[in-house]
């Protein structure tokens, strides 16, 4: 028999905020958009910023609050990843905009998600539409880079920049979800989730859900489910490289690959985090970053994990013996 548990809800959907003021971080955006809601007016908007920081969420919250009851009837949501061509503009957008089913003085919202994927022709076709139907339609474009949107559209919009979520805001948001899910989780575990999510709250919530199946989850569990390495694991490697002990450093790095199953990229990322905080000379830091980036590039070109890591270890040991 299939139980309710088999239909486990995905937390990123279950805990998606429904009100503008509930969106974590993004204080400036929240303030501005709340002003729009209060006045009942808004310009065309561009939401630009990195993945998983609340752009789509915010657009839906704004539409819900702006359009009131039956908001879904007055919102056209287009995901440009599947519908990027000019046909969408010609057909769906114009038809929705033209349909004057809305009460006098009110407008509808067309939300173009991932709009930097729209072809330039489709964007160009939108310019006129935006003007012709300004009376009864507002556009919201969400994108990772506002540069993906053609200048004439940019100039018709107010650009709102979304930022990566800070540690404080992320820990608070995760804690709120944990409380709602009756999940016990320590602050240092939440901080480890932050370390592993690059300011991306979607990624963070997914990690939180993955460790929710573990009783008393630890920092190590966070690193395990996110497939990255706890920096502690590379401390002996760095320390040996800093002392120029090539053989020992090479042995440790081989072990990390063979015994622990980490990839060279995982190791490089962990080293990068560690060196960022390391107390060492600026020259040593600079040269280390160059070596890391160089190795990362070689790996991306298809270099072998073993050979490239030995190359990195050799180079880092040489830096130390060169007495930088
Ligand atoms: N600022 C935030 N406040 C609260 N929850 C958030 C926030 N950002 C992301 N989330 C969580 O992550 C999920 C995905 O966020 P959202 O779809 O808004 O990201 P996005 O910025 O549109 O990313 P993308 O650029 O990949 O489209 C949300 O459903 C929510 O659970
Ligand atoms: Mg989105």
């Amino acid at each position: 028999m299939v139980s309710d548990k088999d239909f486990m809800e995905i937390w990123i959907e279950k805990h998606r905020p429904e009100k503008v003021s509930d969106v974590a971080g993004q204080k400036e955006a929240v303030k501005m958009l709340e002003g729009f809601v209060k006045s009942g007016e808004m310009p065309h908007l561009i939401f630009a910023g990195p993945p998983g920081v609340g752009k789509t969420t915010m657009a839906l919250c704004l539409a819900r609050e702006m359009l009131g009851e039956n908001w879904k009837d007055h919102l056209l949501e287009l995901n440009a990843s599947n519908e990027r061509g000019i046909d969408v503009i010609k057909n769906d957008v114009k038809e929705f905009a033209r349909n004057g089913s809305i009460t006098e003085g009110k407008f509808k919202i067309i939300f173009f998600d991932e709009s930097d994927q729209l072809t330039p022709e489709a964007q160009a076709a939108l310019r006129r539409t935006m003007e012709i139907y300004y009376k009864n339609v507002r556009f919201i474009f969400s994108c990772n880079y506002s540069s993906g949107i053609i200048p004439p559209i940019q100039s018709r919009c107010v650009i709102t920049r979304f930022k990566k979520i800070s540690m404080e805001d992320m820990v608070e948001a995760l804690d709120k979800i944990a409380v709602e899910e009756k999940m016990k989780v320590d602050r240092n575990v939440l901080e480890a989730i932050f370390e592993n999510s690059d300011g991306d709250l979607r990624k963070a919530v997914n990690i939180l859900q993955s460790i929710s199946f573990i009783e008393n989850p630890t920092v190590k569990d966070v690193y395990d489910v996110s497939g990255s390495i706890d920096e502690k694991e590379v401390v002996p490697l760095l320390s040996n490289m800093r002392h120029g002990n090539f053989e020992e450093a090479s042995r440790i790095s081989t072990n990390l690959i063979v015994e622990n199953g980490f990839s060279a990229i995982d190791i490089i990322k962990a080293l990068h985090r560690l060196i960022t905080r390391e107390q060492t000379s600026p020259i040593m830091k600079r040269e280390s970053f160059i070596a890391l980036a160089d190795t990362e590039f070689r790996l991306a070109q298809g270099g072998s994990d073993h050979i490239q890591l030995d190359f990195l270890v050799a180079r880092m040991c040489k830096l130390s013996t060169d007495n930088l």
Side-chain angles (χ1 to χ4, degrees):
M1 210 176 83
V2 183
S3 73
D4 277 351
K5 275 208 160 154
D6 293 315
F7 296 108
M8 190 199 53
E9 248 186 297
I10 298 176
W11 286 7
I12 50 166
E13 289 307 332
K14 185 174 171 191
H15 295 281
R16 194 195 274 273
E18 297 199 340
K19 278 166 58 190
V20 171
S21 57
D22 287 341
V23 175
Q26 321 305 355
K27 292 193 181 58
E28 285 151 40
V30 168
K31 203 169 147 201
M32 181 171 81
L33 301 185
E34 284 194 317
F36 294 154
V37 171
K38 232 183 202 163
S39 70
E41 245 313 331
M42 62 179 259
H44 298 308
L45 295 166
I46 293 176
F47 291 170
V53 297
K55 299 181 300 299
T56 300
T57 305
M58 187 73 102
L60 297 176
C61 290
L62 181 63
R64 190 182 281 113
E65 290 189 41
M66 211 66 186
L67 304 174
E69 220 188 337
N70 305 329
W71 61 281
K72 283 190 177 155
D73 298 339
H74 307 306
L75 171 72
L76 176 64
E77 204 181 335
L78 294 165
N79 190 320
S81 299
N82 351 320
E83 305 157 53
R84 330 172 196 211
I86 196 159
D87 287 348
V88 150
I89 309 298
K90 282 203 179 126
N91 306 327
D92 305 23
V93 171
K94 284 193 182 157
E95 194 180 305
F96 179 81
R98 210 180 287 140
N99 256 323
S101 63
I102 202 143
T103 38
E104 189 64 29
K106 276 279 191 179
F107 51 81
K108 312 189 222 185
I109 294 177
I110 298 181
F111 171 40
F112 266 103
D113 209 356
E114 291 152 46
S115 53
D116 36 5
Q117 305 285 320
L118 274 174
T119 60
E121 294 74 31
Q123 294 191 33
L126 263 181
R127 294 158 51 163
R128 288 278 296 142
T129 318
M130 288 173 76
E131 266 159 20
I132 297 173
Y133 298 106
Y134 184 76
K135 259 190 134 155
N136 57 342
V137 180
R138 296 295 179 280
F139 284 82
I140 305 175
F141 300 93
S142 113
C143 57
N144 291 129
Y145 301 99
S146 58
S147 57
I149 297 191
I150 59 170
I153 291 192
Q154 285 192 39
S155 79
R156 286 168 171 78
C157 296
V158 171
I159 302 183
T160 312
R161 306 223 174 258
F162 282 62
K163 304 187 180 78
K164 288 187 180 182
I165 311 292
S166 69
M167 181 156 91
E168 275 315 307
D169 290 332
M170 189 175 279
V171 167
E172 193 185 317
L174 294 176
D175 195 49
K176 200 168 132 201
I177 295 176
V179 169
E180 280 170 27
E181 293 290 341
K182 298 186 175 55
M183 171 186 177
K184 269 211 191 106
V185 54
D186 291 340
R187 183 178 167 105
N188 63 345
V189 171
L190 298 182
E191 285 178 9
I193 296 180
F194 170 79
E195 292 293 333
N196 277 282
S197 54
D198 193 26
D200 177 335
L201 193 45
R202 177 194 289 124
K203 206 165 163 185
V205 173
N206 279 330
I207 298 176
L208 185 69
Q209 184 168 17
S210 315
I211 59 164
S212 68
F213 301 102
I214 303 167
E215 211 173 315
N216 299 319
T218 61
V219 168
K220 184 169 182 308
D221 293 324
V222 172
Y223 281 92
D224 284 349
V225 303
S226 32
S228 57
I229 309 181
D230 187 346
E231 285 132 56
K232 279 194 216 105
E233 308 241 18
V234 295
V235 167
L237 173 60
L238 182 63
S239 153
N240 274 285
M241 292 194 298
R242 290 303 189 228
H243 287 95
N245 298 333
F246 174 76
E247 278 189 22
E248 183 57 12
S250 166
R251 192 192 62 76
I252 295 173
S253 74
T254 304
N255 247 351
L256 287 171
I257 295 183
V258 178
E259 306 270 317
N260 302 41
F262 294 131
S263 70
I265 285 289
D266 294 334
I267 297 170
I268 287 172
K269 284 186 181 160
L271 279 172
H272 183 265
R273 290 197 298 270
L274 201 57
I275 295 171
T276 303
R277 293 200 304 268
E278 189 190 16
Q279 302 283 337
T280 183
S281 72
I283 300 179
M284 186 59 121
K285 218 171 237 198
R286 182 190 77 194
E287 293 301 315
S288 300
F289 286 152
I290 293 172
L292 290 175
D294 210 6
T295 318
E296 187 200 32
F297 180 75
R298 288 154 176 261
L299 286 163
Q301 299 293 306
S304 106
D305 275 32
H306 255 120
I307 295 174
Q308 292 310 320
L309 261 191
D310 267 344
F311 160 79
L312 177 68
V313 170
R315 204 157 147 187
M316 297 279 272
C317 286
K318 187 169 180 304
L319 289 179
S320 305
T321 49
D322 285 349
N323 284 320
L324 292 182

